[in-house]
Amino acid sequence: MATIYTILDKLRRDEQRSVLATIIRVEGSAYRKEGTSMLIQEDGTQIGMLSGGCLEQDLAVHAEEALATGQSLTVMYDMSAEDDLSWGQGAGCNGRIHVLLEPVHPWMRDQLLRLRLCLEQGMSVIVMRKLGKDNGTERICFLASTGEMFGHHRSECGLSQGDMKALRRLEWERSGRMAYISAAGAYYVQRYNPKPRLIVLGAGADAKPLVRTAAQSGFAVTLWDWRESLCSKEQFPQADECIVGPPALLGSDVHFRTSDAVVLMTHHFQHDRVLLEAMLQMDIFYLGILGPRRRTSRLLGGTNIPEYVHSPIGLPIGADGPEEIAISIMAEIISKLRLRHKKESECRS
């Protein structure tokens, strides 16, 4: 399924007129949940899906209306009935979904591309849509985790300083969406988080399934190696970034974040020693080293392996071969990431 990242990337590459369709409310059960988006372009191209295929044709008709009028609107579909004239038609859904259709005019495109830039830079962004006539978007305001605001000014959206503080303090559900009611009206509010990032140190053949699996799991992947012939988009098309440089300059070439996961897998003992020494100085949430534990101990000069260093790497699923090892590594990283989020939520509560 396409994600908001896929949609934002499409908007960056393709300037034809389009409509952003987002599920803003679900009553009962539905194929997709609140916050799911798809892009409907003027030439009929659709990026993503909001249902099992039963709504998209009708949504395209409403998208044409939104493009013609330049106005956003919300369309409601009742998926609960199962007769031949209903939307449900026995598709397994049992609820109503409300879909917001927004024309992506030049101003809106600029705001969405700014959202994309914030996410790429590791910021989370809260998007507040004030709903007006026909539950269409009357105003839209973006608030980055750094405090940066763009889109319509909060005062244009009818949001007070108190509203902004309340939204930033709210305990968000995992999907990051909610309804918000203030004295100024009703809002649909959604938080977008940057992709978790995996940094792979080593561009050997066994790194290819790891990079591929990580990208398919929704991670942004940065690949580093000192060999230009191996570390390239041609060799690793799923990598978001390929960085070539000497091991001693890793800290200068790669900007590490506290939310990063790092896997060390160069198979070069001396380089691994230099890289591991540098990584032990970094504030990251996950560090895994490919190879047996005794090799990691040798890399550390025989000293004890820190508890936060994962060696051997990956969940113990009896993995055999690069593909299965990649799955075990990503399973461990995802489990640690979920545990970290849970602990952060408990600390805030």
Side-chain angles (χ1 to χ4, degrees):
M1 291 293 183
T3 66
I4 187 63
Y5 308 100
T6 311
I7 290 170
L8 294 176
D9 191 56
K10 183 68 172 178
L11 288 174
R12 181 183 63 85
R13 293 182 287 104
D14 191 337
E15 295 187 359
Q16 70 170 293
R17 297 200 306 164
S18 56
V19 171
L20 181 65
T22 304
I23 299 176
I24 62 172
R25 185 181 176 189
V26 172
E27 303 169 67
S29 62
Y31 182 75
R32 305 299 302 276
K33 301 302 181 183
E34 293 101 332
T36 305
S37 294
M38 69 177 292
L39 190 70
I40 304 171
Q41 296 187 293
E42 189 173 23
D43 67 0
T45 300
Q46 297 182 1
I47 311 298
M49 295 179 67
L50 299 187
S51 72
C54 47
L55 301 183
E56 280 67 20
Q57 185 174 353
D58 189 71
L59 280 170
V61 174
H62 287 292
E64 291 179 3
E65 175 189 345
L67 284 175
T69 64
Q71 301 296 316
S72 63
L73 71 153
T74 294
V75 183
M76 190 276 285
Y77 294 95
D78 187 346
M79 310 292 289
S80 56
E82 297 187 356
D83 58 87
D84 290 338
L85 300 178
S86 71
W87 290 108
Q89 297 180 7
C93 301
N94 189 31
R96 297 181 179 88
I97 66 171
H98 301 250
V99 181
L100 173 64
L101 295 159
E102 299 172 292
V104 184
H105 44 69
W107 181 87
M108 183 66 166
R109 179 187 298 274
D110 289 344
Q111 309 314 306
L112 292 173
L113 293 182
R114 196 165 173 182
L115 165 64
R116 178 181 180 274
L117 181 61
C118 287
L119 294 173
E120 283 187 340
Q121 294 175 345
M123 307 177 204
S124 60
V125 180
I126 298 174
V127 182
M128 295 150 284
R129 291 173 167 91
K130 183 179 182 184
L131 303 179
K133 183 180 178 182
D134 295 326
N135 271 333
T137 302
E138 190 175 274
R139 293 285 188 272
I140 184 167
C141 178
F142 299 78
L143 174 63
S145 53
T146 57
E148 174 189 0
M149 293 188 66
F150 52 100
H152 292 113
H153 190 271
R154 64 167 182 80
S155 60
E156 295 179 274
C157 296
L159 292 164
S160 67
Q161 289 278 18
D163 289 325
M164 303 303 287
K165 290 180 180 178
L167 286 169
R168 297 188 73 169
R169 287 196 305 264
L170 281 171
E171 289 297 323
W172 293 80
E173 53 185 305
R174 181 173 164 183
S175 59
R177 77 266 169 161
M178 59 172 289
Y180 184 75
I181 306 295
S182 79
Y187 299 80
Y188 173 70
V189 186
Q190 186 164 5
R191 185 182 66 190
Y192 293 105
N193 293 317
K195 287 183 179 181
R197 185 169 68 157
L198 172 66
I199 299 174
V200 179
L201 304 179
D206 56 348
K208 291 184 177 181
L210 177 59
V211 169
R212 182 171 59 250
T213 303
Q216 292 171 344
S217 301
F219 282 68
V221 183
T222 294
L223 179 68
W224 174 94
D225 200 284
W226 68 96
R227 298 162 292 191
E228 188 173 358
S229 61
L230 298 182
C231 188
S232 67
K233 290 287 287 185
E234 289 72 25
Q235 295 291 330
F236 292 86
Q238 296 88 1
D240 295 89
E241 188 177 22
C242 295
I243 299 174
V244 178
L249 295 181
L250 176 67
S252 301
D253 293 339
V254 181
H255 174 65
F256 291 92
R257 306 169 187 157
T258 57
S259 57
D260 286 339
V262 178
V263 173
L264 179 55
M265 53 186 308
T266 75
H267 302 288
H268 188 293
F269 188 84
Q270 295 303 326
H271 286 351
D272 278 359
R273 176 175 283 175
V274 174
L275 295 169
L276 179 55
E277 183 179 351
M279 292 315 308
L280 292 175
Q281 309 304 314
M282 301 296 175
D283 183 13
I284 55 177
F285 98 88
Y286 178 93
L287 173 59
I289 304 173
L290 192 69
R293 192 170 179 83
R294 62 180 178 274
R295 181 179 185 273
T296 301
S297 180
R298 286 180 58 215
L299 288 172
L300 292 168
T303 60
N304 291 332
I305 300 174
E307 290 186 7
Y308 61 87
V309 174
H310 299 272
S311 174
I313 194 173
L315 291 184
I317 61 174
D320 182 22
E323 287 77 14
E324 291 185 3
I325 291 173
I327 292 171
S328 73
I329 292 172
M330 290 311 304
E332 183 173 64
I333 291 173
I334 290 170
S335 69
K336 297 298 181 183
L337 185 63
R338 296 288 183 266
L339 181 61
R340 179 172 181 258
H341 289 167
K342 181 181 178 181
K343 288 181 177 179
E344 288 176 349
S345 178
E346 290 173 347
C347 289
R348 288 194 298 266
S349 61

